[in-house]
Amino acid sequence: MGVEIVFLIKAIIFGLAAIIIIPKEYYKKYLVYGLFLGALGDTGFTLLGKHLNMWKYNNMGVFNILDLYSFWTPVAWVFVIMFFLYCLPHKRFNFYLYVVSYGLFGYFVGLVLQNFGLYEYLGFFKYLAPLVITAWFYTASLIYMKAEGIKLES
């Protein structure tokens, strides 16, 4: 096993953060959001990105799923979305700052994976990636707030 172990390590780190921070009584609720908005969202973005030649995964090794992505990538996104939604602020300014910060965080994780030779932003998309990832977090937060009846405060 080579550098592809980074995918597993990333999933473990994000999983531990979610397990430590989110109280047990809320875990199932956020797990459902993580599965649908994180794992399925990642799968959809991966298929879209492959079709439109926006990004690609490399060196996935034994964790390769249909030559699309590593098995551990959607698992990591489950935990990231769980943690993101649990800590979501309800004050308007803080909300927007938080969403943009997570969008940049997601982009920077991609850059780290790119430095390991595991992931690659392709063509002009490397400049649009932070906006697309931020839009993903923003959409996930809107779906969550709508489903939970949460309104932003001034």
Side-chain angles (χ1 to χ4, degrees), residues 88-92 95-96 142 145 150-154:
L88 192 69
H90 297 172
K91 298 267 188 198
R92 189 171 306 278
F95 168 80
Y96 290 115
L142 291 182
M145 291 186 328
I150 298 170
K151 303 272 189 214
L152 289 179
E153 304 166 8
S154 296

Side-chain angles (χ1 to χ4, degrees), residues 2 14 21 23 29 54 64 74 87 91 94 103 113 123 133 150 153:
F14 293 155
I21 300 297
K29 172 179 137 177
M54 297 162 59
N64 183 3
C87 296
K91 298 267 188 198
N94 295 344
L113 293 176
I133 297 167
I150 298 170
E153 304 166 8

Side-chain angles (χ1 to χ4, degrees), residues 7-153:
F7 290 119
L8 172 61
I9 293 168
K10 179 182 69 160
I12 290 171
I13 290 169
F14 293 155
L16 286 174
I19 289 169
I20 291 169
I21 300 297
I22 300 171
K24 289 180 184 178
E25 61 267 17
Y26 297 113
Y27 199 74
K28 288 180 186 177
K29 172 179 137 177
Y30 289 102
L31 181 62
V32 171
Y33 286 112
L35 288 170
F36 286 102
L37 300 173
L40 288 179
D42 175 61
T43 301
F45 273 116
T46 299
L47 292 171
L48 179 69
K50 185 172 180 88
H51 177 70
L52 297 176
N53 205 30
M54 297 162 59
W55 57 75
K56 69 176 183 173
Y57 286 90
N58 304 311
N59 303 320
M60 295 173 283
V62 296
F63 302 123
N64 183 3
I65 296 179
L66 301 173
D67 202 31
L68 290 174
Y69 54 70
S70 168
F71 169 80
W72 298 109
T73 300
V75 172
W77 275 107
V78 167
F79 295 124
V80 168
I81 293 294
M82 287 174 65
F83 188 79
F84 168 75
L85 294 176
Y86 176 73
C87 296
L88 192 69
H90 297 172
K91 298 267 188 198
R92 189 171 306 278
F93 176 78
N94 295 344
F95 168 80
Y96 290 115
L97 183 63
Y98 183 76
V99 170
V100 169
S101 297
Y102 256 86
L104 291 174
F105 168 74
Y107 174 68
F108 292 146
V109 168
L111 290 177
V112 169
L113 293 176
Q114 188 167 300
N115 289 336
F116 275 107
L118 297 171
Y119 183 80
E120 187 176 353
Y121 294 114
L122 301 173
F124 186 70
F125 182 73
K126 61 183 149 195
Y127 305 109
L128 295 177
L131 297 174
V132 171
I133 297 167
T134 299
W136 179 7
F137 280 111
Y138 181 69
T139 303
S141 64
L142 291 182
I143 292 169
Y144 167 74
M145 291 186 328
K146 177 85 170 163
E148 296 294 321
I150 298 170
K151 303 272 189 214
L152 289 179
E153 304 166 8

